Amino acid sequence: MIEQIPDSLALRVKLFLNNPEDFETIAKEAFERRDAVSLCFLIPEDKSRTGHQIAVIADRAHLTEEIPYRPGEWNKWPDVIPPRLNTEPPINGKPQECDYWMLHLEGGRYMTGKLTSQKSWIQVPEQSIEAYKEFSEPADMETIDAYDYREDSWNAFPKHKPSPGTYEVQLKDGRRRVVTWKDDKWTFYGDEIVAFKTIL
């Protein structure tokens, strides 16, 4: 991973260090802290040439190699930068500033994630995100309404009821979200859900 930091950037950060050999530790921490847009090299005061803490913030674009985004698959966060989706219905004719994703969190939980066009997750600690994935293509309600229950595809609701657990759901207006079914009801969007499917 440190090999992805170009020599020119490494040299700039090393200029602030008492001992250039500390760069490897500083760089590893910066790499682990990276988000979709930046790398932050935090130099503590005991390693700083000035005797004070220094932060060097660089665009993530400096990295020499990035893992490409894979549509339809779980993409590891923050290793892979999410693209702009623009799949949400416009508000007053204007595209929304945020995209919605399925998130897989540490500990195995799933939830809906809201990502700004500036690549910041809203109301989700980035450290808890393991991976993200775009929602499935919308269900064709006329087609699925005629089907019996299917484990790996969309199912009409309330014609079919899921087992307790967390599912990808489709709302009346076509939006998709992640919602939990427990105690014989949905935890959110109860009256709006028209279809659900197992998160794969």
Side-chain angles (χ1 to χ4, degrees):
M1 55 185 163
I2 293 180
E3 314 80 58
Q4 293 176 243
I5 298 171
D7 292 342
S8 56
L9 178 56
L11 182 60
R12 295 279 193 277
V13 176
K14 287 177 183 177
L15 290 174
F16 294 104
L17 296 171
N18 278 328
N19 181 358
E21 291 184 10
D22 288 332
F23 174 74
E24 187 169 328
T25 302
I26 301 289
K28 275 184 183 173
E29 291 170 357
F31 200 84
E32 288 168 7
R33 252 192 318 273
R34 75 198 184 285
D35 59 25
V37 293
S38 63
L39 291 163
C40 182
F41 299 85
L42 290 179
I43 302 168
E45 54 190 45
D46 62 321
K47 294 182 180 177
S48 161
R49 183 170 284 206
T50 67
H52 300 284
Q53 181 175 325
I54 296 174
V56 177
I57 300 173
D59 284 346
R60 181 167 168 162
H62 283 90
L63 293 177
T64 57
E65 186 180 324
E66 290 276 15
I67 301 169
Y69 171 76
R70 297 178 321 268
E73 296 183 35
W74 287 102
N75 290 272
K76 192 166 169 46
W77 172 263
D79 293 355
V80 182
I81 299 174
R84 182 78 168 108
L85 293 177
N86 274 328
T87 53
E88 289 295 302
I91 297 176
N92 298 326
K94 295 182 179 178
Q96 292 194 37
E97 279 294 304
C98 295
D99 289 319
Y100 288 76
W101 297 85
M102 288 192 286
L103 298 183
H104 184 225
L105 306 180
E106 288 179 359
R109 285 186 40 228
Y110 293 96
M111 69 176 287
T112 303
K114 189 175 181 181
L115 185 71
T116 68
S117 55
Q118 290 79 35
K119 306 296 184 190
S120 297
W121 295 103
I122 296 177
Q123 298 177 336
V124 184
E126 293 191 9
Q127 299 82 359
S128 68
I129 301 171
E130 287 194 352
Y132 65 91
K133 179 181 181 182
E134 75 271 21
F135 285 94
S136 303
E137 288 295 316
D140 177 344
M141 293 309 299
E142 287 184 20
T143 303
I144 70 165
D145 209 28
Y147 288 146
D148 291 332
Y149 181 85
R150 295 178 299 169
E151 186 66 38
D152 60 349
S153 189
W154 286 111
N155 292 286
F157 180 82
K159 177 181 178 180
H160 302 289
K161 287 194 177 176
S163 302
T166 302
Y167 295 86
E168 180 179 0
V169 301
Q170 181 169 308
L171 309 182
K172 289 176 184 175
D173 63 3
R175 291 176 297 152
R176 275 94 64 217
R177 298 293 187 261
V178 174
V179 182
T180 298
W181 175 263
K182 71 177 190 179
D183 300 327
D184 212 32
K185 64 183 177 187
W186 296 108
T187 52
F188 293 100
Y189 303 109
D191 296 334
E192 298 178 66
I193 295 172
V194 294
F196 66 94
K197 70 181 292 191
T198 302
I199 297 174
L200 303 173

